[in-house]
Amino acid sequence: MQGPELPPWWARTTVYQIYPRSFFDTNGDGIGDLPGIVRKLDWLRDLGVETLWICPFYGSPQQDLGYDVSDYDAVAPEYGTRDDVRRLLDEAHARGMRVLADMVLNHTSIEHPWFRASRSSRTNPKRNWYIWRPGKKPGGKAPPNNWRSLVGPRGWHWDERTQEWYWASFLPFQPDLDYRNPEVQEAMLGVVRRWLAFGFDGLRLDIFHAIFKDERFEDNPFSTRLLPSEDDPDGFLQSYRRTLHHPETIAFARTLRRVANEFHDSPRFLVGEVFGQPSVLRRYCGGGAPLAGADPPNVDSDDGLHSVFLFKAMRAPFTAAGFRELVLEFEREMPAPLVPTWVFGNHDRSRRGERLGYHPEREKLSAAVQLTARGIPFVYYGEEIGMRDLALPLATAKDPLARMYRFLPDVVARKLHAAGVLLNRDACRTPMQWSAAPNAGFSDPGAAPWLPVHPAAETINVEAEERDPASILHCYRRLLQLRKDRPALQAGALTLYPEHALPPEVLAYRRSFGDDVVDVLLHFDDATRRVRLPGDCRLALVSTYPTPLPIREGEAVLRPYEALVIGR
Ligand code: GLC
């Protein structure tokens, strides 16, 4: 019998994020490198992840560890060469894996030759490649308007030589390009085309929601919000209405999609880093305003970005009700053919375990949501072994964000960290823990890793977890393998079972694609509980525990924080 057609690869894939500096160091300089990723490809394939996202490896003064690009076509020498990128792509492709590059379109490094030229004089041909404005007050010494950067202080920076202000959405050494200048668009689309043509299967787009700003430079309105969050970028007493989510940014997402569609050999994938409510973010993916009850949904899935990060899962209360609400929201705001994403950590946020009390069973349950709910899972390196945040002092941080806030006492930083605000992102960027060897096997025993290795590496490491069938690592492997085997998990529709069919501690949904059907039970509690199965699936396939308990007479026994996937 002919089943329905599977959607394109990107809609079914699983993504593993690699911070190259911290993954594996092959030359003993204490910095992870591209050959290090190549060295670990077999391990990644055997883990079961299908797509790798590599954080920026381009030429850069590394003030923001690569998110400040000074040469988009070069490779930073500490990471390797263009030949190493070639080898990484070829070797990954040979193993049936895909690779995404990280594209920083919004800004360059202050050391990029374009910016050097731009700031050299008001008449330089590159002047209007960036956003320059005269100031207010006599002598122009007050910034052009009240706009704040995404990280707190104002985003305008005074240039003494040319007596004007330039705009930077993030840190002062990351000046924003002016996308209203057609030359800029052409240059940056050229960069995109060159890396896609080089063989990358897609791009992760850095702070994409900031690309266009209000062309009249009107003030941002006042807001009572103090700190921004993943789903609401307003903060620092300002609504970012004039600086984020501009309609032209959404139009630019369409332009990028057309560029991605130029590659006919295999579809290229674009995923945007954008902060906001799912109802706003869907607009980046060809989704119009949600229309109540619209069927088919008000969506052109062939337009705009393929998907965006939905960071809300990081904040959802870790309860059945919390995740029920989240799944409902993702289904409502990102209905098929849109594809949500499941993100529990990245190089900017606390590691998942930090929020779950470093409780392996809870971490495995969270992994089960990530890998069985409808959407693209993004696994941050180390999440699969339960790596932990390492609290390090602000003053000596490598992270420029932490250095900017170094005037704060560390006790304040620790309090904010506990509340989920990570000022020193070094905490979640420590070297991958491969073994209990010196330097956790990340680098030569005698080398000095660029960030300290977490002391927990003695027990939390790949080698130890490989030996333990009850480890988080084995749980990931089982779930990833099952997902590969079951179209229902890769691409199936999701239907929640009604609350009244289940105890309040249990969330359950069905995934179905054609004839392929699985039910997923998620138990958000530390008791052991007998549960009447809500559907007709009776065959226990995979548990977050090493082996599922048998199902008897339509009832499953769920252990503390167990997730159980069952088939027919
Ligand atoms: C994004 C990146 C972050 C970087 C910033 C500026 O949020 O994830 O690491 O510092 O953009 O490029």
Side-chain angles (χ1 to χ4, degrees):
M1 202 181 69
Q2 186 93 39
E5 204 187 316
L6 278 167
W9 69 269
W10 59 264
R12 290 178 277 137
T13 198
T14 49
V15 183
Y16 185 92
Q17 179 190 352
I18 293 180
Y19 200 67
R21 215 173 186 76
S22 298
F23 199 59
F24 189 61
D25 169 22
T26 56
N27 62 358
D29 64 357
I31 295 176
D33 42 49
L34 295 168
I37 303 174
V38 175
R39 197 81 71 78
K40 295 294 181 183
L41 281 175
D42 283 339
W43 183 79
L44 289 161
R45 178 202 51 209
D46 296 345
L47 173 62
V49 290
E50 293 155 359
T51 297
L52 307 176
W53 148 26
I54 316 290
C55 288
F57 51 76
Y58 315 105
S60 162
Q62 304 290 339
Q63 281 181 275
D64 191 17
L65 290 326
Y67 286 94
D68 49 327
V69 181
S70 54
D71 185 346
Y72 286 92
D73 291 296
V75 173
E78 62 259 62
Y79 294 148
T81 61
R82 282 176 68 95
D83 284 346
D84 292 321
V85 182
R86 171 84 284 136
R87 203 162 310 120
L88 170 59
L89 290 170
D90 290 348
E91 296 276 337
H93 290 158
R95 288 165 178 79
M97 299 167 84
R98 319 252 180 182
V99 190
L100 311 179
D102 202 322
M103 190 50 65
V104 190
L105 295 174
N106 180 70
H107 50 265
T108 68
S109 158
I110 205 162
E111 291 183 26
H112 196 292
W114 297 340
F115 190 73
R116 285 174 186 262
S118 184
R119 80 182 320 179
S120 67
S121 88
R122 289 201 197 182
T123 53
N124 186 281
K126 290 278 185 306
R127 181 67 169 182
N128 55 5
W129 278 46
Y130 293 83
I131 301 172
W132 290 99
R133 300 290 291 172
K136 289 187 190 155
K137 298 233 172 102
K141 287 294 171 63
N145 61 25
N146 74 348
W147 293 357
R148 288 190 172 280
S149 71
L150 292 172
V151 286
R154 67 173 175 224
W156 292 105
H157 306 282
W158 176 249
D159 181 58
E160 197 52 47
R161 167 144 28 138
T162 57
Q163 301 278 301
E164 278 191 324
W165 299 78
Y166 70 87
W167 170 252
S169 291
F170 209 73
L171 289 163
F173 56 81
Q174 292 162 309
D176 282 31
L177 287 160
D178 186 353
Y179 277 79
R180 291 211 170 79
N181 181 340
E183 287 174 8
V184 168
Q185 285 210 24
E186 201 187 304
M188 293 311 289
L189 292 177
V191 171
V192 164
R193 283 194 179 94
R194 285 196 293 282
W195 282 116
L196 291 180
F198 198 78
F200 278 97
D201 300 282
L203 302 174
R204 175 264 185 191
L205 304 166
D206 190 65
I207 55 168
F208 191 74
H209 58 329
I211 298 257
F212 280 87
K213 282 54 78 168
D214 175 43
E215 62 273 50
R216 292 184 308 274
F217 294 93
E218 285 179 12
D219 276 357
N220 267 330
F222 172 77
S223 148
T224 53
R225 255 177 88 81
L226 216 48
L227 290 176
S229 65
E230 288 80 2
D231 54 5
D232 185 349
D234 290 350
F236 311 109
L237 300 178
Q238 192 159 107
S239 151
Y240 282 63
R241 195 178 308 164
R242 312 259 180 242
T243 36
L244 296 175
H245 298 309
H246 196 280
E248 283 180 70
T249 304
I250 292 169
F252 187 59
R254 297 202 188 99
T255 306
L256 277 176
R257 178 62 166 259
R258 282 195 294 278
V259 171
N261 287 349
E262 288 167 13
F263 296 85
H264 300 294
D265 51 340
S266 157
R268 302 300 204 270
F269 172 47
L270 302 173
V271 58
E273 185 199 30
V274 288
F275 295 86
Q277 289 291 336
S279 56
V280 174
L281 304 189
R282 57 182 263 135
R283 291 198 250 127
Y284 287 89
C285 310
L291 299 178
D295 188 22
N298 181 25
V299 157
D300 179 358
S301 64
D302 217 21
D303 203 3
L305 309 182
H306 298 79
S307 195
V308 290
F309 294 125
L310 301 177
F311 293 117
K312 258 192 153 169
M314 295 197 215
R315 292 251 180 249
F318 197 69
T319 60
F323 275 89
R324 182 182 181 82
E325 212 168 286
L326 197 63
V327 168
L328 277 171
E329 182 176 0
F330 285 9
E331 289 300 310
R332 184 177 67 240
E333 303 295 353
M334 301 284 285
L338 297 184
V339 191
T341 52
W342 287 94
V343 185
F344 289 89
N346 62 28
H347 62 294
D348 298 326
R349 309 282 140 179
S350 270
R351 286 188 171 273
R352 171 173 62 195
E354 175 78 18
R355 294 183 297 274
L356 298 180
Y358 296 118
H359 185 306
E361 294 311 328
R362 288 158 67 97
E363 290 178 63
K364 288 188 239 170
L365 178 58
S366 162
V369 177
Q370 186 177 33
L371 296 173
T372 66
R374 192 178 72 83
I376 308 164
F378 281 82
V379 180
Y380 180 48
Y381 85 93
E383 206 163 275
E384 75 283 15
I385 54 170
M387 270 177 65
R388 301 179 169 198
D389 283 357
L390 181 59
L392 293 162
L394 292 175
T396 53
K398 299 282 194 301
D399 177 9
L401 187 60
R403 287 206 303 275
M404 189 179 85
Y405 281 109
R406 67 177 168 262
F407 60 89
L408 288 175
D410 278 312
V411 46
V412 175
R414 275 201 296 277
K415 286 223 162 90
L416 285 168
H417 188 176
V421 180
L422 193 59
L423 289 186
N424 186 356
R425 298 173 297 175
D426 291 355
C428 62
R429 298 172 176 178
T430 58
M432 176 70 177
Q433 294 158 203
W434 294 103
S435 72
N439 287 335
F442 157 76
S443 192
D444 291 350
W450 77 282
L451 279 181
V453 167
H454 199 298
E458 289 237 346
T459 50
I460 300 175
N461 64 66
V462 170
E463 220 173 80
E465 296 198 25
E466 292 284 6
R467 287 194 299 265
D468 176 9
S471 63
I472 302 179
L473 180 61
H474 274 280
C475 173
Y476 262 95
R477 198 166 278 154
R478 286 193 300 276
L479 287 164
L480 283 161
Q481 193 51 54
L482 181 70
R483 200 183 144 106
K484 276 195 175 170
D485 295 341
R486 304 302 293 248
L489 287 174
Q490 296 163 28
L494 182 149
T495 321
L496 279 165
Y497 281 106
E499 275 164 300
H500 62 74
L502 298 153
E505 298 82 1
V506 178
L507 175 67
Y509 42 78
R510 168 158 288 195
R511 302 289 314 277
S512 52
F513 187 83
D515 292 342
D516 191 37
V517 173
V518 298
D519 281 345
V520 181
L521 302 183
L522 304 157
H523 181 212
F524 289 85
D525 190 46
D526 62 0
T528 295
R529 181 163 273 111
R530 200 171 278 280
V531 176
R532 176 139 291 281
L533 295 177
D536 58 355
C537 289
R538 292 287 180 272
L539 182 65
L541 298 171
V542 160
S543 161
T544 45
Y545 285 74
T547 32
L549 296 175
I551 286 175
R552 294 215 174 84
E553 291 167 14
E555 279 192 346
V557 175
L558 295 178
R559 289 161 279 185
Y561 298 108
E562 181 167 11
L564 188 61
V565 188
I566 43 187
R568 278 183 176 145

Coordinates of all heavy atoms in Angstrom, one line a residue, residues 155 176 251 347 359-360 388 410:
G155 N 22.6 51.1 22.4 CA 23.3 50.4 21.3 C 24.0 51.4 20.3 O 24.5 51.0 19.3
D176 N 26.1 46.9 13.4 CA 25.1 46.3 12.5 C 25.3 46.8 11.0 O 25.6 48.0 10.8 CB 23.7 46.8 12.9 CG 23.2 46.0 14.1 OD1 24.0 45.6 14.9 OD2 21.9 45.9 14.2
A251 N 10.3 40.3 5.3 CA 10.4 40.3 3.8 C 11.8 39.7 3.4 O 11.9 38.9 2.5 CB 10.2 41.6 3.2
H347 N 24.5 27.6 23.4 CA 25.7 28.2 23.9 C 25.5 29.6 24.6 O 26.4 30.2 25.0 CB 26.7 28.4 22.8 CG 26.1 29.3 21.7 ND1 25.0 29.0 21.0 CD2 26.5 30.5 21.3 CE1 24.7 30.0 20.1 NE2 25.6 31.0 20.3
H359 N 19.0 16.2 37.8 CA 18.3 14.9 38.1 C 18.2 14.1 36.8 O 17.4 14.4 36.0 CB 16.9 15.3 38.7 CG 16.1 14.2 39.2 ND1 15.8 13.0 38.5 CD2 15.5 14.0 40.4 CE1 15.1 12.2 39.2 NE2 14.9 12.8 40.4
P360 N 19.0 13.0 36.7 CA 19.1 12.3 35.4 C 17.7 11.8 34.9 O 17.5 11.9 33.7 CB 20.0 11.1 35.7 CG 20.8 11.6 36.9 CD 20.0 12.5 37.7
R388 N 27.0 19.9 33.0 CA 26.5 20.9 33.9 C 27.1 22.3 33.6 O 28.2 22.4 33.1 CB 26.8 20.5 35.3 CG 26.3 19.2 35.7 CD 26.6 18.7 37.1 NE 25.8 17.6 37.4 CZ 25.6 17.1 38.6 NH1 26.2 17.7 39.6 NH2 24.9 16.1 38.8
D410 N 30.0 38.9 42.1 CA 29.7 37.5 41.6 C 28.5 36.9 42.3 O 27.8 36.1 41.7 CB 30.9 36.6 41.8 CG 31.9 36.8 40.6 OD1 31.4 36.8 39.4 OD2 33.1 37.0 40.9

